[in-house]
Amino acid sequence: MSTTWITVGTPLPSGPMRIAVTPAGVVTSDYLPGDTGASVPACTDPAKIDAVTGRITEYLAGRRRAPDLPIDWSRAGGAHRVVLRTLLTEVPYGRTITYGELAALSGVFEGITEPGLAARTVGQMMAANPVPLLVPCHRVVAADGIGGFGGGRVGIEVKRWLLTLEGVLEPTLDWNGPDWAEAAGRG
DNA sequence: CAGCCGTAGGTGA
DNA sequence: TCACCTACGGCTG
């Protein structure tokens, strides 16, 4: 499977994102475009670059409710994939769900009775989400707060930024995204 | 209210 | 294949 990278500039606190695409769709996205090995070449297909760049840019500008890019699910299998797909299809823009609620909704943890175990496992799965942003793992929060996020210290800032974009959180003074009042319908 | 701990899936070597 | 590391949450002191 040929994989190529596309770097997309964003207003996120973490800076540009790195998106890996295959013929099937987006297989990996990463908020922190580290030097992930030289074996993967940059994408040179203008159509793909336009689609990926355009839709992510529009989503982050508040002009689109989801990136709506095709996802290559090959990096997530079994229960992991079920949970990610449940999140993608059941939790809409501007809504949040707790780790425990998503666990129950996915139906993957039927036999688990240990309190908190299913929720923690979902946290693991979110942390291992191969396509953050496309699968809105930022909408999954802890029962008693915002929960965590990958990518070190800047990670939680990215989560807060995305939740602010979707009108879940109120913007801070350094908010650099689209007009929140307009996006929230308070015009 | 602030820790502590159980438990299982992902990831890198 | 193995060891290590968590993006939680209920319970205890």
Side-chain angles (χ1 to χ4, degrees):
Chain A
M1 186 70 80
S2 65
T3 304
T4 57
W5 288 96
I6 299 171
T7 300
V8 180
T10 79
L12 293 169
S14 54
M17 291 184 70
R18 206 117 188 263
I19 312 290
V21 296
T22 69
V26 175
V27 69
T28 307
S29 55
D30 197 338
Y31 292 116
L32 298 175
D35 205 22
T36 48
S39 61
V40 180
C43 180
T44 56
D45 183 337
K48 284 183 181 176
I49 295 173
D50 279 358
V52 169
T53 304
R55 295 194 189 187
I56 287 177
T57 299
E58 288 179 14
Y59 168 72
L60 293 176
R63 296 199 301 271
R64 175 182 278 275
R65 284 173 54 251
D68 288 326
L69 289 165
I71 296 173
D72 181 339
W73 292 97
S74 60
R75 291 294 184 105
H80 192 187
R81 186 182 300 189
V82 172
V83 171
L84 291 175
R85 291 195 67 101
T86 300
L87 171 60
L88 179 64
T89 59
E90 301 297 327
V91 184
Y93 186 95
R95 294 289 305 277
T96 59
I97 190 172
T98 66
Y99 294 99
E101 287 167 351
L102 178 58
L105 191 61
S106 71
V108 169
F109 303 93
E110 298 285 327
I112 304 294
T113 56
E114 194 73 22
L117 173 57
R120 185 160 58 261
T121 304
V122 166
Q124 301 281 13
M125 291 171 167
M126 294 304 105
N129 177 11
V131 279
L133 195 71
L134 303 191
V135 172
C137 52
H138 56 277
R139 293 177 195 149
V140 187
V141 298
D144 62 347
I146 192 174
F149 213 67
R153 196 195 160 286
V154 74
I156 196 64
E157 295 178 29
V158 173
K159 186 171 188 174
R160 293 183 57 85
W161 196 100
L162 291 169
L163 290 175
T164 304
L165 169 72
E166 301 193 357
V168 175
L169 299 176
E170 294 189 10
T172 52
L173 286 176
D174 60 349
W175 174 243
N176 64 338
D179 184 353
W180 174 78
E182 187 176 327
R186 301 198 181 185

